């Protein structure tokens, strides 16, 4: 096969907005995602093998540390999950697929921050809690960002496929 012929690229873009307790913009970060090996395998497993499938996907917040293709929820390497918010990971509620893209902009994942923390990115996985599910991908901010009690993080996720 010639390079680029028949190749497919999967990518994700996160747009994370931090609002203070009064609803004012504190910061915004828009970053691409690394689709980890486990996420790439999941695409093949579900699409071509038709294995037991769940449409339940969730958005989580990533702490400082490097992301790697070998990351899984159970083995994140040097980063850990940030949990200074109310409830579990937030459901990824996607709209309609169009032009090889789908997003959650009509139903953003919203995190009500209830402590002081440093957020360094975001991720998509197949579990609201725990570490025994598929990690699809992880994104690193350009630099870590501080959040505090009363802040709200709104996370938009855009998943795209394209002929590479």
């Amino acid at each position: 096969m010639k390079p680029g012929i028949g190749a497919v690229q999967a990518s994700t873009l996160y747009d994370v907005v931090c609002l203070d307790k009064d609803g004012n913009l504190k910061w915004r970060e828009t970053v691409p995602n690394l689709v980890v090996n486990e996420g790439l395998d999941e695409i093949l497993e579900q699409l071509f093998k038709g294995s037991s499938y769940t449409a339940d996907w969730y958005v989580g917040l990533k702490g400082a540390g490097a992301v790697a293709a070998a990351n899984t929820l159970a083995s994140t390497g040097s980063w850990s999950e940030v949990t200074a918010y109310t409830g579990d990971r937030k459901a990824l509620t996607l709209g309609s697929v169009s032009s090889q893209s789908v997003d959650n902009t009509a139903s953003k994942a919203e995190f009500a921050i209830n402590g002081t923390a440093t957020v360094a990115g975001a991720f998509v996985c197949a579990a609201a809690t725990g570490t025994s599910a598929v990690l699809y991908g992880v994104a690193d901010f350009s630099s870590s960002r501080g959040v505090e009690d009363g802040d709200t993080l709104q996370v938009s996720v855009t998943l795209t496929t394209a002929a590479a």
Side-chain angles (χ1 to χ4, degrees), residues 27-94:
W27 53 264
R28 181 179 204 151
E29 186 85 30
T30 302
V31 293
N33 175 82
L34 168 66
V35 179
V36 297
N37 294 341
E38 184 175 48
L40 294 171
D41 287 346
E42 184 72 359
I43 292 169
L44 296 173
E45 186 74 29
Q46 301 310 324
L47 182 62
F48 293 105
K49 287 194 67 178
S51 297
S52 176
Y53 176 72
T54 178
D56 296 332
W57 291 95
Y58 300 87
V59 179
L61 303 176
K62 176 197 165 295
V67 300
N71 287 161
T72 66
L73 274 181
S75 180
T76 58
S78 67
W79 63 272
S80 60
E81 183 172 359
V82 173
T83 57
Y85 56 86
T86 304
D88 297 332
R89 295 177 190 126
K90 306 308 173 192
L92 177 60
T93 304
L94 298 168

Side-chain angles (χ1 to χ4, degrees), residues 18-163:
C18 181
L19 304 173
D20 69 15
K21 63 181 170 66
D22 298 318
N24 299 309
L25 178 68
K26 285 181 75 171
W27 53 264
R28 181 179 204 151
E29 186 85 30
T30 302
V31 293
N33 175 82
L34 168 66
V35 179
V36 297
N37 294 341
E38 184 175 48
L40 294 171
D41 287 346
E42 184 72 359
I43 292 169
L44 296 173
E45 186 74 29
Q46 301 310 324
L47 182 62
F48 293 105
K49 287 194 67 178
S51 297
S52 176
Y53 176 72
T54 178
D56 296 332
W57 291 95
Y58 300 87
V59 179
L61 303 176
K62 176 197 165 295
V67 300
N71 287 161
T72 66
L73 274 181
S75 180
T76 58
S78 67
W79 63 272
S80 60
E81 183 172 359
V82 173
T83 57
Y85 56 86
T86 304
D88 297 332
R89 295 177 190 126
K90 306 308 173 192
L92 177 60
T93 304
L94 298 168
S96 298
V97 175
S98 178
S99 301
Q100 301 77 53
S101 185
V102 64
D103 63 52
N104 72 330
T105 56
S107 184
K108 297 173 183 160
E110 191 163 291
F111 296 84
I113 304 300
N114 61 8
T116 301
T118 301
V119 179
F123 63 91
V124 169
C125 68
T129 62
T131 60
S132 61
V134 171
L135 175 65
Y136 176 75
V138 187
D140 255 337
F141 292 164
S142 58
S143 61
S144 296
R145 304 288 195 141
V147 293
E148 57 192 20
D149 188 24
D151 287 351
T152 300
L153 288 184
Q154 297 174 336
V155 183
S156 298
V157 179
T158 302
L159 301 149
T160 306
T161 56

